[in-house]
Structure formats: structure tokens, C-alpha cells
Amino acid sequence: FEFTSEPFVISESLTVTNTPVPAGGLVQFEFDGFEPGAEVTVSVAEEPTLATTAVADGTGAGSGTLAAPGTDGIYTLQAEDTFGNSASSLFEVTAPVGVSISGDLALQAVSPADEAAALLVLVPKVHLIDPATGQPVSTADVSSDGSFEFTSVSPGTYDVGASAPGFLTALLEDLVVGSADIGLTDLELSAGDVSGDNAVAGADISVVVAGFGQSVSRCSSADATCDGFISGADISVVVSNFGKIGPTSW
């Protein structure tokens, strides 16, 4: 009787352990069956610049991470060592869900009793702005309780601006959005921009003084306190903000 043995062959394998992977996130991988001690190059076949290297341990196994493509889809992860051994594996990249940005806005010199009505009349806006272009990419209305929210915001850097008729604009610069929801610091818009030029000047004071003692529509141009009556309180708030120019800091 003659016993003949066949050599035991271990085939190379490559596995993505966290599929699906968020676009722009990290691909986590494991490999096995490669030449022990060999340098293994792992890359995305469709985007070869997304690559890394890892060294196989004494059993030919190893692991690591590399950057995922920025667009959703099905991709091929490939691995090859310096001895020509190779393996591949499909993985999925999904579009990021996005996060929420929320906050609360108040109006200077408007009493709590009048604020809900004033917010309904003025409908302040909050803008999510692309710093590169200065243009809004999304706009949220402020509700009657002063709250606002952006949803499904993609990671990146944004400016946040707020505006309301009769008030100076406000701006928050370089807000970095990652993977966590963001609650902004409460904001109070400065009153007194009667003329709508984003500055409080002598002309604004003159308009309010000229209307002193009059009953007007709530939040009309000279009604800085939004109570429907032009009084000393309106003059005081405009004078207190004299010389201010928007946008003010958030």
C-alpha cells in the first residue's frame, strides 16, 4: 500500500468587515492566506489612489483601513502581496445620512408677551451658507417659538446667517459639520435697522422719533419693540444700537 499526500493549499481571502461604508468614511478590511511577512497593497479597483499597505503576520493574515470613495455605489477592494498572491472583495458605499443643525432665535427689545406674534409677522430666516460662494445652500424659517432646524446636512464647513426685517443680520462663520447633530448657541438679533440697510444710523433714529406716540401695525418699520405703538422704548433701543453694522457676531 502506497500513501500519497497532496500539499495543503491555503487560498488568499480579503473581507470588508464594515460594509456598507458611509461615503468618505473608512473601509475596514481583513486578509488571510498571503505570504507571511509580505507587504500587502490594498486598494479600491475603481479608484486606485485610494490605497494603503499592510504587512502580513506569521500566518499570512492582517488587517487595516483605507479611505472610502466619496460617491455611493458598489466597489471592489483588491489586495496583492509582493509575491503575486491576490484576493478581492465587493463592498457597498452609501451616501451619508446627514445631521441636523438646530437653534433658537430671539428679537432684541421684544417682550416675551409679544415675541410669538412678532416672529409670525416677521418670519425670520436662517441660512446655511457655502463659504466658498457666499450663497445659501439651505434656508429655514424660524417658528413662533423661536426655534429653527436644518436636517440632512452633509459633512463640511458652513457659515450660518440670520435675518429679520427691522433687525441687523447675524453671522456664524466656519461651522464644521461632522457626524454628530449640532445645537447652536442661542441668538438675539439686534433691533433698530428701520431703513433696512443693515446698519443703525441717525436716519433710523429720525424715523422713530417722527412716529413717536403713534399706533401702528405690529413690527412696522419704526416699531422696534413690535408692540404696535411707537414709544420711548422704541427710541431707546434704536439709540442704544446706534453705530452698529450687520452682520453682527452670532
Side-chain angles (χ1 to χ4, degrees), residues 6 15-16 21 37 67 72 81 125 129 135 168 172 179 194 200 211 213-214 232 240 242:
E6 295 292 333
T15 304
V16 176
V21 184
D72 58 322
D81 67 17
K125 308 286 186 185
I129 301 166
Q135 298 300 310
L168 297 177
L172 173 65
S179 59
V194 176
V200 181
Q214 297 179 17
S240 70
F242 177 76

Side-chain angles (χ1 to χ4, degrees), residues 98-102 149 178-183:
V99 303
S100 69
I101 301 173
S102 60
E149 183 178 19
S179 59
D181 294 340
I182 297 175

Side-chain angles (χ1 to χ4, degrees), residues 22-226:
L26 288 177
V27 179
Q28 301 173 10
F29 61 84
E30 296 177 350
F31 57 81
D32 199 3
F34 287 80
E35 190 72 22
E39 183 177 272
V40 180
T41 299
V42 182
S43 63
V44 178
E46 294 80 3
E47 297 189 27
T49 57
L50 299 177
T52 189
T53 58
V55 176
D57 64 17
T59 66
S63 62
T65 62
L66 82 166
T71 305
D72 58 322
I74 302 298
Y75 293 85
T76 303
L77 191 68
Q78 56 189 12
E80 184 173 0
D81 67 17
T82 48
F83 293 87
N85 302 307
S86 64
S88 64
S89 178
L90 295 178
F91 68 99
E92 181 182 3
V93 172
T94 57
V97 175
V99 303
S100 69
I101 301 173
S102 60
D104 290 286
L105 179 148
L107 304 171
Q108 182 195 17
V110 177
S111 71
D114 293 318
E115 191 157 58
L119 291 169
L120 285 172
V121 170
L122 296 174
V123 193
K125 308 286 186 185
V126 181
H127 310 281
L128 201 60
I129 301 166
D130 179 355
T133 64
Q135 298 300 310
V137 297
S138 184
T139 298
D141 289 338
V142 177
S143 66
S144 61
D145 65 358
S147 64
F148 62 87
E149 183 178 19
F150 297 94
T151 59
S152 301
V153 180
S154 299
T157 300
Y158 301 88
D159 293 341
V160 185
S163 61
F167 293 79
L168 297 177
T169 61
L171 183 66
L172 173 65
E173 295 183 296
D174 297 328
L175 176 69
V176 177
V177 177
S179 59
D181 294 340
I182 297 175
L184 298 177
T185 303
D186 291 350
L187 171 67
E188 182 181 77
L189 292 181
S190 298
D193 182 20
V194 176
S195 60
D197 60 357
N198 210 22
V200 181
D204 301 292
I205 297 173
S206 296
V207 172
V208 178
V209 170
F212 179 76
Q214 297 179 17
S215 295
V216 295
S217 299
R218 185 187 295 271
C219 300
S220 61
S221 61
D223 184 20
T225 57
C226 286

